[in-house]
Amino acid sequence: MEKIKPRTLSGFMELLPAMQEQMEQIMKTLRETYALYGFYPLDTPVLESAEVLLAKGGGETEKQIYRFQKGDSDLAMRFDLTVPLAKYVALNYGQLTFPFRRYQIGKVYRGERAQRGRFREFYQADIDIIGDGQLDIINEAEIPSIIYKTFAKLGLQRFKIRINNRKVLSGFFEMLGLHAQAGEIMRTIDKLEKIGADKVREILMEECKVSVEQADEILKFITLDGGTQGILQALAQYRGRSELLDQGIEELTTVATYMEDFGVPADHFEIDLTIARGLDYYTGTVYETTMLDHPEIGSICSGGRYDNLAEYYTDKKLPGVGISIGLTRLFFILQDKDYLNQNPPACPADVLILPMTEDVGASIALATRLRDAGVRVQLHCEKKKFKAKITYADKLAIPYVIFMGEDEIRNDIIALKDLSTGEQTNTGFDEALARIREGLAQRASGTVIMEKNIQ
Amino acid sequence: MEKIKPRTLSGFMELLPAMQEQMEQIMKTLRETYALYGFYPLDTPVLESAEVLLAKGGGETEKQIYRFQKGDSDLAMRFDLTVPLAKYVALNYGQLTFPFRRYQIGKVYRGERAQRGRFREFYQADIDIIGDGQLDIINEAEIPSIIYKTFAKLGLQRFKIRINNRKVLSGFFEMLGLHAQAGEIMRTIDKLEKIGADKVREILMEECKVSVEQADEILKFITLDGGTQGILQALAQYRGRSELLDQGIEELTTVATYMEDFGVPADHFEIDLTIARGLDYYTGTVYETTMLDHPEIGSICSGGRYDNLAEYYTDKKLPGVGISIGLTRLFFILQDKDYLNQNPPACPADVLILPMTEDVGASIALATRLRDAGVRVQLHCEKKKFKAKITYADKLAIPYVIFMGEDEIRNDIIALKDLSTGEQTNTGFDEALARIREGLAQRASGTVIMEKNIQ
């Protein structure tokens, strides 16, 4: 038979088993953490009507989208999880209870130019809180605290959540009489870190029609420093000159204060007035998250407050706040920069049982008993040499092997070998189980991400 | 602004939050159970090259597939999880260790005619064990035992796993000199339950060119009964007349025996010689799973043994055994037939904290403390009337509410209300936590599926 060459499309992540096990651990941690904060899981289709998905229309998105006809239907694969959320909330408005808190971890699709570290199919992990008509500011402090907790649980420590408030920027530009150019200015200052102050000044003056004095004012403002308290104090000096700016300062102060109450250590967040987030969509607090040792990667988790989630579908005002982790890209970075904990290595089973008798009934019974006790077990009944079976356990990094020979069966003994130490013990079932559990507890005490790898 | 009508494509399941919570519980149970049996998780792309996905080509599949061009690429959405597995194993052969055990829970796509209970996007939950060149028969007994354990853990009890062996059928037809028509005959007898013996006899004689005597022999054979032991004894009488039949009987006997060792109760499986599974792909043991009270639904979990997983991609002989649950369809049925446990109702949080002071710092601190103790907490800080907040808890079925007023904060008291009983207690943190945990443990003791609903 003529063979087709097996291949996976470029830009589509497909992991080897041990890596997938780690990805799975990360997704499990995300699900569990999000659940602690009272979020519903949500699952929406990958395929939607193109008309619905592109309601907002235009832009880069439309060029990158996977869109096609099937019969009479004009279909498209989702390119983010926000548009499907907007559709879902508009569609089910009458059956939802607000504030509606949901998380969704799902694949999205963008036909970008393929390059290393860029994906065409990738997981996003989103959380959002949607209000009906209004949504309290406290949610804007809670959301980043969830991000902090999530990364901390994964084992990441050297990261910082950077917050700003769009009203602060808009109010400030309004104050300077630059309301008309506000959007353009924000997109420019957003690039400060990348292109530097001189270049920003140049663009402000040449493209945004800003005067020298105004450019100076802007650069001075966005580079205010002195830590959270210092910046808040400096901002206080601007109060009373624009209602919007005052409101922004008020919100930023509230969010910063409550973030500490929510358990985000002071050294894990900072106010950064250059953060604007490109999208006009955001109207209040905005967030970015940076890995301290890899600022070049950009934000690994971003989001913010918006006033109208679903304006393309409904007249209802649905303000919300949300944040998104580009999970596939993050995983690629963690792998690439050696942040993934390989000690202990990921493995699909805790115990490998090697039956050494013709009748494997006793081995099966033991496997069933261990599984009932929550131990992950594989039985190895293939017709292979003893040594090949031990190699199998080694390759899969299974920590324990149990030999089931005639003697063990007759005497009701568990011959348990710890492959990491080479130590073998012959005990009763309970003692063997206790030993396995102790070992597994030790192995489980690590986190998926391990920064010591890179220090 | 002109609005686009929000809608979800027909044939695409999109659940309301509480239902999604239950679907999530089911998927979690699946993942956890599969892991106990030493399976790696696997995740492959939804999109593949059409050439790769359609390597086998032809048939119904090709008509139903979502296939499209993007740039120069001819792409298709996967229509099952078996073809991607075959591709994965062929592609990564050198880096995998065999037997390779993997599970995958993922969405697949078939553009079928839309009708109630039929889905175009649906989850499949597959487990497979792939050998390199050979694979021991014991795996054919282990696979259905995992299915038994999975359904039992979900709370389903009234179901039966029906097994057969393709070699038994092929050997028997060979013995009758009907080798050439074997495939056709199998597809015919597969319909016995649906169309009845007379119709089967008619098709056998008219379309499969089978004589009256042969048709009688076939019908007698496939309707052998007497339970597992009775059928095995009856089959023994046929031994010695076809090597293939003998081998099939041997395998069927081994599988039936070991299934009991693996913990499948005798009344939860049976040998059914009419089961052939349409696909030529299967070569040994085959499985179907039927809900006793809903035989009309057909099989909710099917699979079998095959000799060549990846013959379209590689010359390597990769025998395997696997089984697949059509999860979306199963969930639809469970919902439709009222098998889903609504008591306690699914809810996104265990506790709702209602701050009753301006400064919500103490409420936030309490939320953080409870979450650190593993309790799922929502804070309700919206500017709404007290009654609306209690209604919110009721609607979401959150079992506990904690009121945080000035008195409570000053005296370090937790005012905990159990919404199911209406009872309110004012205690210290530890006692409140113990009370919550006790209540949650009780709520968690049920299963997702509850058959008493339908009795």
Side-chain angles (χ1 to χ4, degrees):
Chain A
M1 191 191 300
E2 208 192 322
K3 307 296 175 193
I4 302 288
K5 190 172 149 45
R7 63 194 172 88
T8 299
L9 295 168
S10 92
F12 288 68
M13 180 180 274
E14 189 174 67
L15 298 167
L16 283 170
M19 278 295 167
Q20 185 62 45
E21 189 91 63
Q22 292 192 305
M23 179 61 143
E24 233 34 58
Q25 278 303 320
I26 292 178
M27 292 207 267
K28 184 167 177 253
T29 303
L30 261 54
R31 283 192 297 264
E32 287 173 358
T33 311
Y34 295 164
L36 278 181
Y37 287 78
F39 286 76
Y40 272 120
L42 184 63
D43 189 12
T44 64
V46 167
L47 271 184
E48 301 264 8
S49 147
E51 181 197 48
V52 168
L53 221 48
L54 294 167
K56 193 178 174 179
E60 272 307 294
T61 311
E62 196 146 358
K63 272 181 258 162
Q64 296 178 347
I65 205 166
Y66 288 98
R67 178 177 182 172
F68 59 96
Q69 292 283 128
K70 173 87 179 168
D72 296 335
S73 307
D74 181 7
L75 305 173
M77 296 175 81
R78 65 185 177 204
F79 52 88
D80 73 4
L81 300 176
T82 303
V83 175
L85 171 66
K87 180 214 73 176
Y88 182 89
V89 175
L91 183 59
N92 299 298
Y93 174 82
Q95 292 172 84
L96 299 179
T97 307
F98 295 90
F100 173 57
R101 300 162 80 95
R102 83 88 177 80
Y103 75 83
Q104 182 165 9
I105 302 174
K107 287 178 170 178
V108 304
Y109 298 82
R110 294 185 197 172
E112 294 197 71
R113 202 163 59 84
Q115 52 179 307
R116 190 163 188 281
R118 283 272 170 195
F119 295 92
R120 290 170 170 173
E121 173 186 75
F122 56 97
Y123 277 100
Q124 283 193 336
D126 282 22
I127 49 176
D128 285 87
I129 306 174
I130 313 298
D132 183 12
Q134 56 179 23
L135 187 70
D136 197 84
I137 180 77
I138 196 157
N139 297 291
E140 288 168 55
E142 189 174 27
I143 285 275
S145 78
I146 303 171
I147 293 312
Y148 167 75
K149 196 57 121 189
T150 304
F151 285 129
K153 277 198 187 176
L154 289 172
L156 193 67
Q157 285 161 35
R158 297 190 38 73
F159 69 93
K160 196 165 269 191
I161 301 172
R162 295 147 81 205
I163 65 170
N164 193 10
N165 191 302
R166 288 284 290 245
K167 289 181 186 130
V168 169
L169 293 181
S170 301
F172 179 70
F173 301 140
E174 195 181 272
M175 193 188 90
L176 293 181
L178 296 168
H179 179 73
Q181 305 99 304
E184 223 176 322
I185 299 174
M186 282 194 219
R187 279 186 288 278
T188 307
I189 63 168
D190 217 14
K191 297 177 196 152
L192 179 68
E193 206 166 1
K194 212 184 273 178
I195 62 177
D198 290 344
K199 188 74 188 156
V200 164
R201 185 191 310 270
E202 191 185 312
I203 300 177
L204 285 179
M205 286 163 56
E206 288 178 12
E207 296 177 22
C208 307
K209 314 280 173 235
V210 159
S211 72
V212 187
E213 295 73 26
Q214 286 170 329
D216 283 341
E217 279 266 28
I218 292 171
L219 278 162
K220 183 185 150 203
F221 185 80
I222 62 174
T223 54
L224 287 175
D225 60 10
T228 304
Q229 289 316 315
I231 294 174
L232 289 176
Q233 273 162 30
L235 282 177
Q237 318 247 336
Y238 288 88
R239 276 189 194 252
R241 292 156 66 188
S242 147
E243 207 178 307
L244 192 60
L245 176 57
D246 286 359
Q247 200 188 332
I249 294 170
E250 182 73 33
E251 289 184 9
L252 199 52
T253 308
T254 305
V255 168
T257 308
Y258 281 142
M259 271 175 78
E260 284 214 56
D261 287 331
F262 271 117
V264 186
D267 63 350
H268 274 73
F269 73 93
E270 67 182 16
I271 295 174
D272 181 339
L273 297 176
T274 68
I275 293 175
R277 306 293 308 147
L279 305 165
D280 287 338
Y281 183 59
Y282 294 116
T283 51
T285 312
V286 285
Y287 321 94
E288 291 191 351
T289 311
T290 326
M291 289 170 77
L292 296 186
D293 302 312
H294 293 287
E296 79 281 5
I297 287 162
S299 177
I300 55 171
C301 175
S302 315
R305 158 86 185 208
Y306 42 87
D307 277 345
N308 267 315
L309 172 70
E311 58 180 330
Y312 300 98
Y313 307 120
T314 174
D315 282 324
K316 297 261 181 271
K317 202 184 160 212
L318 300 166
V321 56
I323 212 158
S324 177
I325 299 177
L327 198 53
T328 299
R329 182 164 165 273
L330 176 62
F331 190 82
F332 172 82
I333 291 164
L334 294 173
Q335 197 176 6
D336 193 48
K337 308 285 185 201
D338 199 18
Y339 276 75
L340 291 173
N341 189 356
Q342 312 287 358
N343 184 27
C347 63
D350 306 317
V351 173
L352 183 71
I353 296 179
L354 297 191
M356 298 164 75
T357 53
E358 189 64 27
D359 182 333
V360 296
S363 291
I364 294 176
L366 176 63
T368 304
R369 200 169 167 197
L370 283 169
R371 285 162 177 164
D372 285 345
V375 178
R376 300 178 307 154
V377 178
Q378 277 193 18
L379 267 167
H380 198 313
C381 300
E382 303 308 305
K383 279 159 206 73
K384 289 198 175 156
K385 294 214 174 96
F386 181 76
K387 199 160 168 250
K389 294 186 178 185
I390 295 291
T391 306
Y392 175 84
D394 271 338
K395 279 196 178 167
L396 267 64
I398 299 175
Y400 295 101
V401 169
I402 292 176
F403 308 106
M404 284 290 275
E406 275 173 31
D407 283 357
E408 284 79 16
I409 295 171
R410 195 170 38 238
N411 301 317
D412 208 7
I413 288 289
I414 308 293
L416 175 73
K417 184 164 186 170
D418 180 333
L419 289 189
S420 61
T421 62
E423 189 192 3
Q424 185 175 329
T425 51
N426 299 294
T427 68
F429 177 85
D430 291 341
E431 200 179 326
L433 178 60
R435 200 176 288 264
I436 292 165
R437 281 187 170 153
E438 201 182 314
L440 294 181
Q442 265 182 31
R443 292 170 63 91
S445 63
T447 50
V448 188
I449 297 175
M450 199 76 162
E451 289 182 338
K452 73 161 189 216
N453 287 348
I454 53 138
Q455 276 163 7
Chain B
M1 191 191 299
E2 209 193 321
K3 307 296 176 193
I4 301 288
K5 190 173 149 45
R7 62 193 173 89
T8 299
L9 294 168
S10 92
F12 288 69
M13 180 180 274
E14 189 174 67
L15 300 166
L16 283 170
M19 277 295 168
Q20 185 62 46
E21 189 90 63
Q22 292 192 305
M23 179 60 142
E24 228 43 51
Q25 278 303 318
I26 292 178
M27 292 207 267
K28 184 166 177 250
T29 304
L30 262 53
R31 282 192 298 265
E32 286 173 357
T33 311
Y34 296 164
L36 278 181
Y37 287 78
F39 286 76
Y40 273 119
L42 184 63
D43 189 12
T44 64
V46 166
L47 270 185
E48 301 264 8
S49 146
E51 182 198 45
V52 168
L53 222 48
L54 294 168
K56 193 178 174 180
E60 272 307 294
T61 312
E62 194 146 359
K63 273 180 259 162
Q64 296 177 346
I65 205 166
Y66 288 98
R67 179 178 183 173
F68 59 96
Q69 292 283 130
K70 173 87 179 168
D72 297 335
S73 306
D74 181 9
L75 305 173
M77 297 176 81
R78 65 184 178 206
F79 53 87
D80 73 5
L81 300 177
T82 304
V83 175
L85 171 66
K87 180 214 73 176
Y88 182 88
V89 175
L91 182 60
N92 299 298
Y93 174 81
Q95 292 172 84
L96 299 178
T97 306
F98 295 90
F100 173 57
R101 301 162 80 96
R102 83 87 178 80
Y103 74 83
Q104 181 165 10
I105 302 174
K107 287 178 170 178
V108 305
Y109 297 81
R110 294 185 197 170
E112 295 197 71
R113 203 163 59 84
Q115 52 178 307
R116 190 164 187 280
R118 282 273 169 194
F119 295 92
R120 290 170 169 172
E121 173 186 74
F122 54 97
Y123 278 100
Q124 284 194 336
D126 282 22
I127 50 175
D128 285 87
I129 307 174
I130 314 297
D132 183 11
Q134 55 179 24
L135 188 70
D136 196 85
I137 181 77
I138 196 157
N139 297 291
E140 288 167 57
E142 189 174 27
I143 286 275
S145 79
I146 302 171
I147 293 312
Y148 167 74
K149 196 59 120 187
T150 304
F151 284 129
K153 277 198 188 175
L154 288 172
L156 194 67
Q157 285 160 36
R158 297 191 38 75
F159 69 94
K160 196 165 272 193
I161 302 173
R162 295 148 81 205
I163 65 170
N164 192 10
N165 191 301
R166 287 283 291 246
K167 289 182 185 128
V168 169
L169 293 181
S170 300
F172 179 72
F173 301 142
E174 195 180 272
M175 192 187 89
L176 294 180
L178 297 168
H179 179 73
Q181 306 99 304
E184 222 175 324
I185 299 175
M186 282 195 220
R187 279 186 289 278
T188 306
I189 63 167
D190 218 14
K191 298 177 196 153
L192 179 67
E193 204 166 0
K194 212 184 275 179
I195 63 178
D198 290 344
K199 188 74 187 155
V200 164
R201 184 191 309 269
E202 190 185 313
I203 300 177
L204 284 179
M205 286 164 57
E206 287 177 13
E207 295 177 24
C208 308
K209 313 283 174 232
V210 159
S211 72
V212 187
E213 295 73 28
Q214 286 170 329
D216 283 342
E217 279 265 29
I218 291 171
L219 279 162
K220 182 184 150 205
F221 185 80
I222 59 174
T223 53
L224 287 175
D225 60 11
T228 304
Q229 289 316 316
I231 294 175
L232 288 176
Q233 274 162 27
L235 282 177
Q237 318 243 336
Y238 288 88
R239 276 187 194 251
R241 291 156 68 186
S242 147
E243 207 178 309
L244 191 61
L245 176 56
D246 286 0
Q247 200 189 334
I249 295 171
E250 182 75 35
E251 289 184 8
L252 198 52
T253 309
T254 304
V255 168
T257 309
Y258 282 139
M259 272 176 77
E260 284 214 56
D261 287 331
F262 272 117
V264 185
D267 63 350
H268 273 72
F269 72 94
E270 68 182 17
I271 295 173
D272 182 339
L273 297 175
T274 68
I275 292 176
R277 304 294 307 148
L279 303 166
D280 289 337
Y281 182 59
Y282 293 116
T283 53
T285 312
V286 284
Y287 321 95
E288 291 191 352
T289 311
T290 326
M291 289 171 77
L292 297 185
D293 302 312
H294 292 288
E296 79 282 4
I297 285 161
S299 176
I300 56 170
C301 175
S302 316
R305 157 87 185 208
Y306 42 87
D307 277 345
N308 269 313
L309 172 71
E311 58 179 329
Y312 301 97
Y313 307 120
T314 174
D315 282 325
K316 298 262 180 269
K317 202 184 161 212
L318 300 167
V321 56
I323 211 158
S324 178
I325 300 176
L327 197 54
T328 299
R329 183 164 164 273
L330 176 63
F331 190 83
F332 172 82
I333 291 163
L334 294 173
Q335 196 177 7
D336 193 48
K337 308 284 184 202
D338 199 18
Y339 276 75
L340 291 174
N341 189 357
Q342 313 286 359
N343 184 27
C347 64
D350 307 317
V351 172
L352 183 71
I353 297 178
L354 296 191
M356 299 164 76
T357 53
E358 190 66 27
D359 181 334
V360 296
S363 292
I364 293 176
L366 176 63
T368 305
R369 199 169 168 198
L370 283 168
R371 286 162 176 163
D372 286 343
V375 178
R376 301 179 306 155
V377 178
Q378 278 192 19
L379 267 168
H380 199 313
C381 300
E382 303 308 305
K383 279 158 207 72
K384 290 199 173 155
K385 295 218 174 92
F386 181 77
K387 197 158 170 248
K389 294 187 179 186
I390 296 291
T391 305
Y392 174 85
D394 272 338
K395 279 196 177 167
L396 267 63
I398 299 175
Y400 295 100
V401 169
I402 293 176
F403 308 106
M404 284 289 276
E406 275 172 32
D407 284 356
E408 286 78 15
I409 295 170
R410 193 169 41 240
N411 301 318
D412 208 7
I413 288 289
I414 308 293
L416 176 74
K417 183 162 185 171
D418 179 334
L419 290 189
S420 61
T421 62
E423 189 192 3
Q424 184 174 330
T425 51
N426 298 294
T427 69
F429 177 84
D430 292 340
E431 198 178 328
L433 178 60
R435 200 175 288 263
I436 292 166
R437 281 187 169 153
E438 201 182 314
L440 294 182
Q442 265 181 32
R443 291 171 64 92
S445 63
T447 50
V448 187
I449 297 174
M450 200 77 162
E451 289 183 338
K452 76 162 186 216
N453 287 349
I454 53 138
Q455 275 161 10

